[in-house]
Amino acid sequence: MRYSKKKLEKLLCLEDFSLAAQRYLPSFMYAYISGGVENNSSLAQNRRIFDELGFAPRVMRDVSHVDMSTTLWGDTYTAPFGIAPMGISAISAYRGDAVLAGAAQEAGIPMIMSGSSLIRLEDICSVGPNVWFQAYLPGKQEQIEALVARVAQAGFQKLVITVDTPVAANRENNVRAGFSTPLRPTLRMITDCALHPRWTFGTLMQTVLRHGMPHFENNYATRGAPIISRNVLRDFSDRSHLNWAYFQRIRAMWKGKLIMKGVLTAQDAQRAVDEGADGIIVSNHGGRQLDGSIPPLLALPEIVRACPTVPVMMDSGIRRGSDAMKALGLGARMVFIGRPFGYAAAVGGQPGVQRAIELFATEVKRNCAMLGLTRASEMTDAYLRTLSPASHFERYLGKL
Ligand SMILES: Cc1cc2nc3c(=O)[nH]c(=O)nc-3n(C[C@H](O)[C@H](O)[C@H](O)COP(=O)(O)O)c2cc1C
């Protein structure tokens, strides 16, 4: 049902997985993954911003061996990229979180499990230490404490708190495509499923038959709503009142590494570090929250400069090894990629994710060699130029 090895070999870059998934998934499911928010402005800018920078490669250096390893807080990963957290992955792909985690662990890169996942966090934690957990904070202090205690009890060492969702995003594209959480079956949805039998039988039916109706397992310490339901409203807790005091209490409770995801200003990043954050993920949620929010690549240099003591990472819009190199050049220690790995899991299961990881790792390695680098960790802004003197980046290059 899913893509064979031979078919996966025909996919040559991350964007190819998007085209494959568009054919494979029902349109409501593809719309959920691919979409941004409102006018999709941030989604488009997340990609465009990479074109503001070009490379100034160095030549005649022995690049016969390129080391891509990256060390964060004493842990070494094989490459400077990882898999971003994606909610409900186990319904877009068969056992989605497990195949993403399995492929990442095998490849030696980090994978962040979403709090809006449909497989119990304990089951994914056991895949290995490369799996980090991302939480959406529940609205009440006692719920937060119970969730953090559960994540610690499961054995996770890295906790990522996503902070760019104080209220629900205006995902009109989801409404237009008939997508909601929980999924509410309609005639249109059933027709869509019938037209995409590979997903319907290979993912949806297999999941329900083998594992029962999926539920939101990890938004709280206890089980949440089922994914398919006519009536039950998903328990979207109101987090609009959350503030730094909640973060302080989590810091006091959580003994592992604490990472804040969804930061776009130097002020917030600095405050997070002052409050005890061990790392920052600069992100606009892949353009899925505030439409018009600046591309993370734009915010990256000022955040790197403001937070010299912790790893600054980023995501949103990275599709090529060259994009990753630009982010590393601006000071990111690790980049995360979302949608393409979600598509890879959907069309190809774990071998699909492995293929996507290999393709991307090969691009990063090739780009290092082309730039004259024997280590990815040696990428700096010395290898970057702005393509226009009016570029935002002009004031940072050479000063990072
Ligand atoms: C389908 C989907 C689900 C997502 N779910 C979550 C989530 O549960 N938690 C979270 O912090 N971010 C979530 N994100 C945002 C990603 O973690 C990441 O910030 C974004 O996808 C990066 O952009 P990219 O897709 O352009 O690589 C989701 C993104 C997608 C595409």
Side-chain angles (χ1 to χ4, degrees):
M1 288 291 217
R2 283 182 287 276
Y3 271 40
S4 61
K5 194 166 179 268
K6 213 166 154 203
K7 224 165 161 195
L8 286 172
E9 276 166 11
K10 295 202 171 123
L11 304 178
L12 303 180
C13 65
L14 292 193
E15 284 295 9
D16 286 352
F17 286 89
S18 169
L19 297 172
Q22 196 166 7
R23 287 192 287 266
Y24 190 90
L25 292 169
S27 49
F28 66 88
M29 192 49 77
Y30 180 75
Y32 160 70
I33 303 176
S34 62
V37 65
E38 292 184 350
N39 297 334
N40 288 333
S41 304
S42 292
L43 182 68
Q45 277 162 3
N46 284 350
R47 289 289 310 127
R48 270 204 300 270
I49 190 81
F50 287 97
D51 292 335
E52 276 199 29
L53 291 171
F55 294 116
R58 301 297 305 275
V59 297
M60 297 301 285
R61 289 170 165 186
D62 176 359
V63 289
S64 47
H65 294 286
V66 173
D67 175 6
M68 292 199 292
S69 64
T70 300
T71 301
L72 297 176
W73 312 289
D75 295 328
T76 300
Y77 300 95
T78 55
F81 69 91
I83 302 179
M86 282 173 284
I88 69 166
S89 292
I91 196 79
S92 50
Y94 180 69
R95 307 306 280 164
D97 306 281
V99 305
L100 288 162
Q105 184 65 40
E106 206 165 285
I109 63 166
M111 175 271 181
I112 311 177
M113 177 189 196
S114 162
S116 286
S117 40
L118 305 169
I119 300 179
R120 283 175 56 77
L121 61 85
E122 289 78 5
D123 297 343
I124 304 300
C125 185
S126 60
V127 171
N130 286 16
V131 186
W132 307 2
F133 185 77
Q134 173 264 325
Y136 282 125
L137 296 183
K140 297 199 181 89
Q141 184 57 34
E142 60 274 19
Q143 293 170 324
I144 296 177
E145 285 174 14
L147 177 62
V148 173
R150 181 180 163 199
V151 176
Q153 173 73 25
F156 282 101
Q157 292 158 15
K158 320 272 187 313
L159 175 61
V160 178
I161 303 287
T162 297
V163 292
D164 56 9
T165 58
V167 291
N170 185 20
R171 305 232 178 112
E172 287 165 13
N173 60 331
N174 286 359
V175 180
R176 288 185 217 286
F179 177 88
S180 63
T181 45
L183 291 169
R184 287 189 200 86
T186 58
L187 185 59
R188 179 177 160 205
M189 184 180 275
I190 292 164
T191 313
D192 204 352
C193 289
L195 292 171
H196 296 88
R198 289 185 295 179
W199 177 80
T200 305
F201 293 106
T203 301
L204 180 65
M205 303 291 276
Q206 293 275 348
T207 302
V208 175
L209 288 174
R210 290 193 190 171
H211 309 280
M213 178 61 69
H215 285 59
F216 287 93
E217 299 284 356
N218 308 306
N219 287 107
Y220 300 94
T222 51
R223 194 175 221 205
I227 183 71
I228 302 178
S229 156
R230 262 201 172 280
N231 307 313
V232 187
L233 263 186
R234 184 181 150 200
D235 203 354
F236 275 117
S237 57
D238 179 17
R239 338 187 164 88
S240 52
H241 60 284
L242 297 180
N243 59 22
W244 289 102
Y246 288 84
F247 187 76
Q248 286 159 358
R249 279 181 236 140
I250 295 170
R251 179 66 284 183
M253 271 191 83
W254 176 258
K255 305 291 173 240
K257 299 299 174 200
L258 186 59
I259 299 132
M260 189 177 271
K261 171 174 183 281
V263 177
L264 287 173
T265 65
Q267 293 93 320
D268 281 345
Q270 211 160 21
R271 174 82 190 258
V273 175
D274 290 347
E275 301 288 2
D278 298 296
I280 302 287
I281 302 181
V282 186
S283 167
N284 68 4
H285 217 105
R288 293 162 75 86
Q289 285 305 119
L290 170 63
D291 201 28
S293 57
I294 54 174
L297 193 75
L298 192 85
L300 185 61
E302 64 184 65
I303 294 181
V304 166
R305 216 189 244 179
C307 303
T309 56
V310 301
V312 175
M313 300 159 274
M314 81 143 252
D315 74 22
S316 300
I318 293 186
R319 296 293 177 269
R320 285 285 185 187
S322 55
D323 302 333
M325 295 312 292
K326 289 174 187 177
L328 296 184
L330 293 179
R333 293 276 298 281
M334 170 77 72
V335 297
F336 288 92
I337 300 163
R339 294 175 180 87
F341 287 126
Y343 300 139
V347 303
Q350 191 159 325
V353 183
Q354 274 161 353
R355 170 80 178 151
I357 293 173
E358 271 162 30
L359 285 170
F360 199 80
T362 307
E363 286 187 13
V364 173
K365 196 170 188 177
R366 185 186 298 115
N367 279 305
C368 282
M370 291 278 194
L371 283 162
L373 289 165
T374 52
R375 287 174 198 278
S377 59
E378 286 172 0
M379 179 66 191
T380 68
D381 60 343
Y383 297 84
L384 297 177
R385 301 287 183 272
T386 57
L387 294 183
S388 135
S391 168
H392 162 87
F393 296 114
E394 192 62 42
R395 66 187 144 122
Y396 289 102
L397 296 194
K399 298 170 197 110
L400 282 168

